């Protein structure tokens, strides 16, 4: 039997792996401009971190989590012995709960109210039905800002997210930024009751799952993908009509700051997002090109109660995460995916066996100077070495044969113009650097 990668996972071969790496680097540089530092947390956590952080009655926790048992857990279960928290683990479906857990465990948020900004990159795991843009293992970059209560922190996170998409190369016109406020502990309970009553009044026209949610978590009904349910729920009460004064003022300030930053958005009173920790601002960026029904590229919001869930002091927080495979799909669908393949600065070709040590040493000299160099290791003919050079995309080939060896030089051939010139071996590094600069400038002019 041929082995295969599990359903819903992908082997990222070099072109795709480089494409995702490019997006992660962009996240690193953009998020750095806003003061975010990198954090890495484990790929699995004690199950309760996610149950407590995200909410038992969310799809992510209730239906999509990969559970992991510690090696001794099965035996303990068979014996009826109690399991410890470290026996019952889960692969992370997202990283916000992990970051909140880590922030409390390591006392990351100082009591003086200073803000801590953290960003992350990594794979997340959700046992969803795989389809285009929906995987069981996928990559996210995300950012979490802890300790900032003011609306400018919400607006800054949204601006940073849109800045990131712009740097990735997605045209602004291909994106839709949706914004909503979900209220807080003061105003959400009354809203939940109204939505519950609405669901029960319209039970005959809603799916059994939505009706069940009336009693467990009524706002989750807004996430239902069933078109009939969506139409019915379009007439449900709107949270924005019921916000308390503080939440309404916060929401108005976030919108005013986005207006000031000239970031266009659409208000969507049905946007509740699929995770229970949100309070006040929520946002989502959607795109149609390349994504089909999985049209959310990224999203997030404020979660002012999450740190307390993990035993920390009351600490406001907010953040977002972006799905990298979806970003790449949109870049490809809009014709904006650059070739992220690494291209050598030079290919070195040996005319005969005696030239091989010379080109080997020359390649090392170029690499030591920070220039990627490629050469043949299979004793290929000069013709095949040129074919290889062409395939590699190197702008120049350095050829060394008996004449060049005698002259202490290499023949440098420009692959685009086919021009050739002889370069002294000790001038090769500068000559290749010059060609790289010329190629880069040419690319920019185009
Ligand atoms: P989320 O909306 O569940 O939020 O996921 C963020 C993004 O991850 C989605 O918009 C999507 O691009 C990508 N994504 C989610 N599921 C899949 C999947 N099965 N396959 C491929 N891509 C997927 C969160 O994860 C929150 N932690 C965001 C956040 C941070 N909120 C506050 N801070």
């Amino acid at each position: 039997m041929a082995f295969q990668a599990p359903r819903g996972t992908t082997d990222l071969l070099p072109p795709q792996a480089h494409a995702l790496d490019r997006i992660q680097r962009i996240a690193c540089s953009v998020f750095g401009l806003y003061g975010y530092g990198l954090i890495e947390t484990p790929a699995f956590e004690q199950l309760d971190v996610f149950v407590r952080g995200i909410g038992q009655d969310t799809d992510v926790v209730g239906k999509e989590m990969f559970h992991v048992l510690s090696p001794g857990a099965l035996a303990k279960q068979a014996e009826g012995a109690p399991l410890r928290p470290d026996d019952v683990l889960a692969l992370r479906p997202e990283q916000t709960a992990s970051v909140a857990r880590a922030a409390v465990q390591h006392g990351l948020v100082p009591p003086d109210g200073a803000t801590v900004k953290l960003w992350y990159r990594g794979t997340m795991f959700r046992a969803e039905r795989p389809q285009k843009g929906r995987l069981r293992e996928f990559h996210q970059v995300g950012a979490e800002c802890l300790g900032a209560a003011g609306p400018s922190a919400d607006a800054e996170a949204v601006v940073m997210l849109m800045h990131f998409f712009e740097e990735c190369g997605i045209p602004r016109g291909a994106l839709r930024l949706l914004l909503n406020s979900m209220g807080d502990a003061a105003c959400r309970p009354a809203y939940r009751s109204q939505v519950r009553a609405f669901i029960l009044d319209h039970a005959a026209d809603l799916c059994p799952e939505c009706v069940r949610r009336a009693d467990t978590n009524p706002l989750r009904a807004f996430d239902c993908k069933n078109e009939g349910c969506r139409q019915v729920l379009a007439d449900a009460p709107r949270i924005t009509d019921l916000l308390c004064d503080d939440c309404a003022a916060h929401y108005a300030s976030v919108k005013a700051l986005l207006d000031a930053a000239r970031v266009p958005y659409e208000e969507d009173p049905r946007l509740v997002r699929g995770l229970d920790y949100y309070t006040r601002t929520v946002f989502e960026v959607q795109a149609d090109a390349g994504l089909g029904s999985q049209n959310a590229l990224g999203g997030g919001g404020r979660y002012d109660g999450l740190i307390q869930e993990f035993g920390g002091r009351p600490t406001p927080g907010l953040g977002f995460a972006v799905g990298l495979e979806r970003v790449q799909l949109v870049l490809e669908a809009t014709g904006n995916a650059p070739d992220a393949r690494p291209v050598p600065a030079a290919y070195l070709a040996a005319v005969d066996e005696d030239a091989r040590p010379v080109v080997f040493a020359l390649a090392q000299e170029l690499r030591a100077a920070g220039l990627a160099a490629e050469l043949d290791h299979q004793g290929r003919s000069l013709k095949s070495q040129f074919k290889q050079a062409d395939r590699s995309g190197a702008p120049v080939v350095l050829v060394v044969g008996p004449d060049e060896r005698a002259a202490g030089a290499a023949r440098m051939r420009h692959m685009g113009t086919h021009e050739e010139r002889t370069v002294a071996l000790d001038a090769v590094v500068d000559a290749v650097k010059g060609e790289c600069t010329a190629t880069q400038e040419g690319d920019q002019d185009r």
Side-chain angles (χ1 to χ4, degrees):
M1 186 198 70
F3 289 106
Q4 294 204 331
R7 205 161 90 87
T9 68
T10 36
D11 294 312
L12 292 173
L13 305 179
Q16 298 104 35
H18 282 289
L20 294 204
D21 179 56
R22 170 185 167 267
I23 302 171
Q24 287 178 344
R25 285 166 192 250
I26 292 171
C28 181
S29 73
V30 172
F31 299 170
L33 295 175
Y34 296 77
Y36 282 77
L38 183 63
I39 184 170
E40 303 234 356
T41 60
F44 58 87
E45 296 270 353
Q46 294 174 354
L47 173 72
D48 278 346
V49 168
F50 302 120
V51 174
R52 172 141 316 196
I54 301 170
Q56 178 62 54
D57 203 52
T58 56
D59 282 354
V60 169
V61 168
K63 299 181 184 165
E64 298 167 2
M65 220 153 44
F66 282 100
H67 293 237
V68 181
L69 288 180
S70 74
L74 280 177
K76 280 190 196 169
Q77 260 179 344
E79 288 162 13
L83 296 177
R84 289 170 323 184
D86 261 3
D87 287 328
V88 188
L89 308 161
L91 298 184
R92 62 182 179 202
E94 58 104 62
Q95 215 169 325
T96 309
S98 308
V99 169
R101 190 270 307 144
V104 174
Q105 182 176 338
H106 303 286
L108 291 185
V109 186
D112 64 4
T115 301
V116 175
K117 290 173 161 179
L118 303 161
W119 81 276
Y120 47 84
R121 54 182 180 204
T123 46
M124 309 296 150
F125 306 86
R126 296 186 193 178
E128 296 190 78
R129 197 165 45 77
Q131 63 179 76
K132 190 174 184 190
R134 189 163 71 191
L135 293 155
R136 293 184 158 191
E137 182 188 30
F138 58 97
H139 292 74
Q140 281 189 347
V141 294
E144 312 294 348
C145 170
L146 305 176
S152 60
D154 310 43
E156 186 185 79
V158 175
V159 169
M160 180 169 95
L161 176 61
M162 301 315 285
H163 186 171
F164 163 75
F165 286 132
E166 190 184 327
E167 290 296 320
C168 287
I170 303 180
R172 185 63 185 81
L175 299 175
R176 223 175 11 256
L177 167 61
L178 304 178
L179 191 68
N180 191 23
S181 171
M182 297 192 57
D184 65 5
C187 50
R188 187 136 28 122
Y191 178 63
R192 276 171 61 108
S193 306
Q194 289 201 11
V195 175
R196 178 178 179 276
F198 181 91
I199 292 174
L200 295 177
D201 284 350
H202 295 79
D205 303 319
L206 292 168
C207 72
E209 183 71 2
C210 283
V211 177
R212 186 186 70 78
R213 283 180 156 157
D215 286 321
T216 54
N217 198 340
L219 302 194
R220 287 276 75 82
F222 290 118
D223 287 334
C224 184
K225 300 280 182 277
N226 187 320
E227 193 44 45
C229 295
R230 283 177 170 270
Q231 278 175 16
V232 172
L233 289 161
D235 295 327
R238 293 165 172 242
I239 177 77
T240 33
D241 295 334
L242 292 159
L243 292 177
C244 62
D245 290 348
D246 284 350
C247 285
H250 188 97
Y251 187 42
S253 295
V254 174
K255 287 187 287 181
L257 288 162
L258 291 178
D259 292 339
R262 290 191 179 36
V263 172
Y265 55 86
E266 291 167 35
E267 289 185 72
D268 180 355
R270 312 276 167 242
L271 182 70
V272 291
R273 311 250 318 122
L275 313 157
D276 275 354
Y277 46 62
Y278 292 117
T279 53
R280 294 194 168 168
T281 317
V282 283
F283 49 92
E284 193 161 281
V285 178
Q286 300 181 347
D288 293 327
L291 290 185
S293 62
Q294 303 306 311
N295 65 354
L297 271 187
R302 183 168 273 286
Y303 45 78
D304 290 342
L306 184 61
I307 294 285
Q308 260 175 297
E309 284 293 333
F310 291 110
R313 284 184 308 277
T315 306
L318 66 109
F320 62 76
V322 177
L324 302 197
E325 286 83 356
R326 292 189 191 176
V327 170
Q328 185 60 16
L329 284 173
V330 173
L331 285 169
E332 284 165 12
T334 56
N336 290 293
D339 188 353
R341 208 170 41 123
V343 173
Y347 189 95
L348 292 96
V351 176
D352 55 10
E353 281 309 303
D354 288 343
R356 291 196 181 267
V358 181
V359 298
F360 188 83
L362 203 52
Q364 210 37 44
E365 222 178 290
L366 287 166
R367 292 169 186 148
L371 297 161
E374 207 33 279
L375 74 165
D376 169 52
H377 293 293
Q378 275 147 274
R380 287 193 177 100
S381 68
L382 188 61
K383 195 171 161 203
S384 337
Q385 291 180 66
F386 264 97
K387 256 195 211 151
Q388 283 295 114
D390 203 30
R391 230 175 266 161
S392 76
V396 293
V397 180
L398 291 154
V399 185
V400 179
D403 295 348
E404 289 77 20
R405 267 202 333 278
R411 199 154 33 93
M412 186 156 107
R413 182 180 167 93
H414 193 284
M415 294 299 274
T417 60
H418 298 270
E419 276 167 27
E420 288 194 357
R421 64 185 163 113
T422 302
V423 182
L425 287 181
D426 59 6
V428 161
V429 166
D430 284 342
V432 172
K433 269 190 188 153
E435 284 300 334
C436 288
T437 317
T439 310
Q440 275 163 10
E441 282 168 0
D443 286 350
Q444 274 162 15
D445 292 347
R446 242 178 282 136

